[in-house]
Amino acid sequence: MSDEKLLIVEDDMDIRELTALYFKKKGYDVWTAAEGYEALKLVKKEKPQLILLDVMLPGIEGFELCKKIRLYTDVPVLFLSSKRDPVDKVLGLEVGADDFITKPFDLMELEARVRANLRRNSMVLSEPNRKKRVFTYNHLVIDLDSYDVFVRGEKVSLYTKELQLLILLVENQNQVFSAEQLYDLIWGVDSFGDLKTVQVHVSNLRRKIEEDPSKPALIQTVRGFGYKFNVQKKIESH
């Protein structure tokens, strides 16, 4: 059983009520909203630990709502959508979602994804080995006590999965990870997704931290193998 608080944002009453009932039976504390403005109020008031978010919503459509949600919280957001175009999934991840699930979906699979994202988020928040360390390399500085990231002295905003991915690569500098390995380590082996998720997050990170994202010097692609955080010397730890 679980006592985590979920927010389900879905305008289809049947899907909303069925999904809410399923998770309530599993022990989750469930809140629901049928449209975007109501959802935003619940995000600020109830502080859910995970949000299931429909894309096609009245009031504020899902992608725009996700951007607004990210102004208040970094908890996992999982899109639920009947859209199957890969472009929609990429857009969902780019606006800050952690996963993109197409309808119709199996409730047991959905629960597995919810559990995986809650567990990963909990590990970030309560990581026991968090130390007062500062990783510095060229124009990039990462404060691993506060998880703040600075590029050329300016603080940059990273979504939770982007931050997890960056720290994993930085702490294993020059080690090559396949897309499959990164997906397992960041999203969890019991997640159900595709490797496009890794590609999108790597692209987002490059856009935010590289001096020239079109010619990445930090997060490099090792053709045929995967990705690595490329350094010419060890990152200093203070």
Side-chain angles (χ1 to χ4, degrees), residues 60-71:
I60 310 175
E61 58 86 27
F63 294 144
E64 184 62 29
L65 179 57
C66 187
K67 293 179 184 178
K68 294 181 181 297
I69 287 172
R70 284 295 176 233
L71 297 175

Side-chain angles (χ1 to χ4, degrees), residues 7 14 41 46 73-74 99 125 140 159 178 198 202 222 235:
L7 172 60
D14 291 336
K41 291 179 181 178
E46 301 299 335
T73 180
D74 286 326
D99 208 344
L125 295 175
L140 177 68
Y159 297 126
S178 68
V198 176
V202 168
V222 181
I235 294 177

